[in-house]
């Protein structure tokens, strides 16, 4: 349990959670675990920036003890109240009851309502500076990135930004820095993280990026609260956030479907062929056997989402409900949608899927496609042509 040096006298003292498989309850799958990053600054005022999830309090304290006695900590900065970053705070406060806690006004309210601690709080706002000795902490409030209480902490003398959840990845690793792990893997996990947590907050992400850019502060290292620290090329993740938040897209499609006796599956395959014929790369996803979190990640690039289901009880198959419900919450930016499916004695699936797509902010790319019972060769040809027509809309 050793600390890791970031900059002179600044250490990572967090924890690696190799076992975390779901985050935010059973909503967001985290196949690669995660880390809880906490940073210790040794200066005239010894300062800890963020803590870790409660079960890892001992691990954090052990790393701190390799550097100093934790009771010597003067200041604790809480960038964000969520329990994965503050769960260890009560344990820590038993050792340092005199320490002053710096957080936003909403952060203080949140901490009081989580832990009910009689602690010494100081509320900070954007632009406030906290001298530590050789270094200064500068605070930037970041409401809704991703909670109302969130803020970033910046150390100008080190060009180091500690933005808590922003720019993070759920990625457990033996390594702490971006240049020590595979870049494609880190970016894929960063994208997955953005799509499943920050997507609905994209307008605020863009605003914050502009605000930070206008501050004209040099940033040579970004140390988020999850995953690896960006020291090799921090600009890479900033640019990716700008791209994702602004809704840039590629001529790609995701076709998500579920089937009862194979008719909707046959339609889905024909639609994918039609998309491909017009050079729109499509991923075909059977909802019941795939990780739906990956679909949201694909939507960071894909312009079009096509959803298919047979009609059952006048609507779509319920296995699609978690995906469609989550979609309406995540609200992908600047995306097109379309619906299709087979039916028997009554329709309903397409209409209800279209309503969900529109509720999620997608623009319908064309009329939905419904076919009776089992599609024949001519009807499958219609699916193919429908896919081609959608592809042409994608590229318009
Ligand atoms: Fe919003 Fe990593 O917690």
């Amino acid at each position: 349990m050793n600390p890791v040096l970031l900059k002179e006298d600044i250490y990572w003292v967090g924890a690696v959670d190799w076992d975390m498989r779901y985050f935010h309850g059973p909503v967001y799958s985290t196949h690669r675990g995660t880390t809880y990053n906490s940073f210790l600054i040794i200066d005239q005022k010894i300062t800890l920036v963020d803590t870790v999830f409660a079960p890892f309090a001992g691990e954090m304290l052990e790393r701190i003890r390799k550097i100093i006695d934790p009771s010597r900590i003067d200041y604790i900065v809480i960038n964000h109240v969520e329990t994965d970053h503050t769960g260890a705070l009560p344990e820590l406060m038993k050792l340092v009851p005199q320490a002053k806690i710096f957080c936003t006004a909403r952060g203080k309210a949140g901490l009081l309502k989580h832990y009910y601690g009689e602690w010494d709080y100081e509320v900070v706002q954007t632009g406030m500076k906290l001298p530590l000795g050789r270094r200064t902490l500068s605070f930037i409030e970041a409401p809704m990135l991703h909670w109302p209480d969130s803020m970033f902490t910046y150390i100008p003398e080190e060009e180091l930004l500690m933005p808590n959840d922003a720019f993070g990845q759920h990625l457990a690793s033996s390594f702490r820095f971006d240049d020590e792990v595979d870049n494609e893997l880190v970016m894929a996990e960063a994208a997955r993280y953005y799509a499943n947590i920050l997507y609905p907050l994209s307008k605020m992400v863009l605003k914050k990026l502009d605000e930070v850019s206008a501050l004209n502060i040099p940033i040579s290292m970004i140390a988020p609260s999850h995953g690896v620290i960006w020291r090799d090329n921090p600009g890479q993740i900033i640019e990716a956030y700008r791209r994702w938040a602004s809704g840039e897209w590629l001529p790609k499609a995701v076709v998500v479907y579920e089937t009862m006796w194979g008719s909707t599956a046959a339609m889905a395959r024909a639609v994918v062929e039609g998309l491909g014929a017009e050079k729109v790369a499509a991923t075909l996803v059977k909802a019941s056997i795939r990780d739906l979190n990956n679909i949201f990640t694909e939507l960071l690039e894909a312009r079009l989402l096509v959803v298919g289901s047979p009609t059952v009880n006048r609507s779509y198959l319920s296995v699609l409900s978690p995906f469609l419900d989550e979609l309406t919450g995540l609200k992908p930016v600047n995306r097109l949608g379309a619906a299709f499916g087979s039916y028997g004695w009554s329709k309903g699936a397409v209409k209800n899927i279209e309503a969900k797509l529109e509720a999620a902010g997608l623009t319908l790319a064309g009329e939905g496609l419904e076919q009776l019972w089992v599609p024949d060769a001519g009807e499958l040809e219609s699916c193919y042509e429908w896919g081609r027509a959608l592809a042409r809309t994608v590229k318009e």
Side-chain angles (χ1 to χ4, degrees):
M1 299 293 175
N2 287 306
V4 177
L5 191 69
L6 266 71
K7 301 252 184 184
E8 190 187 349
D9 286 336
I10 301 181
Y11 299 88
W12 175 85
V13 288
V16 182
D17 185 348
W18 292 92
D19 298 333
M20 173 67 84
R21 285 297 174 269
Y22 284 99
F23 209 77
H24 288 164
V27 173
Y28 173 17
S29 56
T30 49
H31 301 289
R32 296 183 188 278
T34 194
T35 73
Y36 312 107
N37 297 338
S38 173
F39 304 103
L40 184 69
I41 304 163
I42 304 298
D43 211 316
Q44 285 169 29
K45 292 293 184 184
I46 296 176
T47 303
L48 186 72
V49 178
D50 294 319
T51 73
V52 298
F53 189 28
F56 296 85
E59 190 170 328
M60 178 189 76
L61 290 170
E62 197 178 327
R63 290 187 208 278
I64 293 173
R65 281 194 186 98
K66 295 273 172 72
I67 308 162
I68 52 148
D69 183 333
S71 66
R72 291 181 55 205
I73 291 173
D74 299 290
Y75 295 157
I76 300 167
V77 174
I78 296 294
N79 280 317
H80 173 36
V81 171
E82 196 163 9
T83 191
D84 52 326
H85 306 297
T86 60
L89 190 60
E91 190 74 18
L92 178 66
M93 293 310 289
K94 286 182 200 161
L95 303 174
V96 282
Q98 81 291 345
K100 185 174 273 203
I101 297 174
F102 295 84
C103 59
T104 63
R106 287 183 176 127
K108 179 181 173 182
L111 288 172
L112 286 168
K113 199 67 193 74
H114 275 68
Y115 304 111
Y116 304 93
E118 302 277 323
W119 302 326
D120 183 10
Y121 291 97
E122 182 158 336
V123 167
V124 300
Q125 292 158 342
T126 296
M128 279 181 64
K129 297 193 175 358
L130 176 64
L132 303 184
R134 283 182 294 137
R135 301 181 194 81
T136 316
L137 298 187
S138 178
F139 302 111
I140 304 167
E141 290 174 273
M144 298 318 294
L145 294 184
H146 71 121
W147 275 20
D149 58 270
S150 299
M151 70 171 184
F152 300 171
T153 297
Y154 176 67
I155 306 180
E157 294 85 354
E158 306 289 352
E159 302 182 352
L160 169 61
L161 182 69
M162 291 173 282
N164 197 265
D165 279 326
F167 310 120
Q169 335 91 49
H170 285 309
L171 176 62
S173 162
S174 308
F175 303 105
R176 301 280 68 83
F177 297 100
D178 57 342
D179 49 81
E180 298 174 306
V181 294
D182 180 71
N183 185 255
E184 202 174 318
L185 172 68
V186 178
M187 287 308 293
E189 288 302 329
R192 206 162 185 280
Y193 185 98
Y194 186 93
N196 286 280
I197 294 180
L198 292 160
Y199 222 160
L201 309 167
S202 290
K203 275 189 190 151
M204 279 163 276
V205 171
L206 277 181
K207 210 168 143 216
K208 189 53 60 181
L209 290 176
D210 287 343
E211 186 189 319
V212 172
S213 160
L215 291 174
N216 228 355
I217 52 175
I219 297 173
S220 65
M221 184 183 284
I222 298 177
S225 57
H226 296 290
V228 295
I229 293 154
W230 307 91
R231 73 174 174 189
D232 183 44
N233 181 10
Q236 180 186 26
I237 189 63
I238 294 174
E239 277 318 300
Y241 265 49
R242 192 173 283 287
R243 212 165 52 241
W244 297 331
S246 59
E248 285 183 22
W249 52 268
L250 294 172
K252 291 183 173 182
V254 186
V255 180
V256 183
Y257 78 99
E258 194 48 71
T259 196
M260 187 184 286
W261 293 110
S263 293
T264 301
M267 293 175 73
R269 288 192 291 270
V271 171
V272 166
E273 278 196 31
L275 287 161
E278 294 290 337
K279 306 293 179 218
V280 169
T283 306
L284 182 60
V285 180
K286 186 175 183 184
S288 58
I289 60 168
R290 292 280 296 275
D291 183 336
L292 298 176
N293 295 116
N294 290 340
I295 302 172
F296 301 120
T297 312
E298 294 209 28
L299 280 175
L300 281 183
E301 284 196 339
R303 169 77 154 147
L304 173 68
L305 171 66
V306 188
V307 182
S309 171
T311 292
V312 182
N313 300 329
R314 299 193 176 178
S315 191
Y316 47 80
L317 282 169
S318 60
V319 71
L320 286 165
S321 295
F323 168 67
L324 291 170
D325 287 351
E326 188 74 1
L327 185 76
T328 57
L330 290 176
K331 289 201 168 19
V333 183
N334 192 23
R335 294 299 182 255
L336 302 173
F340 68 98
S342 65
Y343 68 98
W345 60 93
S346 75
K347 296 181 181 177
V350 164
K351 179 179 62 136
N352 286 328
I353 291 169
E354 286 176 342
K356 283 286 190 182
L357 295 176
E358 289 191 299
L362 281 76
T363 303
L364 295 181
E367 255 185 59
L369 179 68
E370 292 168 287
Q371 293 181 341
L372 181 65
W373 296 122
V374 179
D376 62 19
E379 285 167 323
L380 289 177
E381 185 65 22
S382 301
C383 293
Y384 175 81
E385 291 300 333
W386 188 71
R388 287 186 63 195
L390 290 177
R392 288 192 288 272
T393 310
V394 163
K395 294 189 287 187
E396 273 171 9

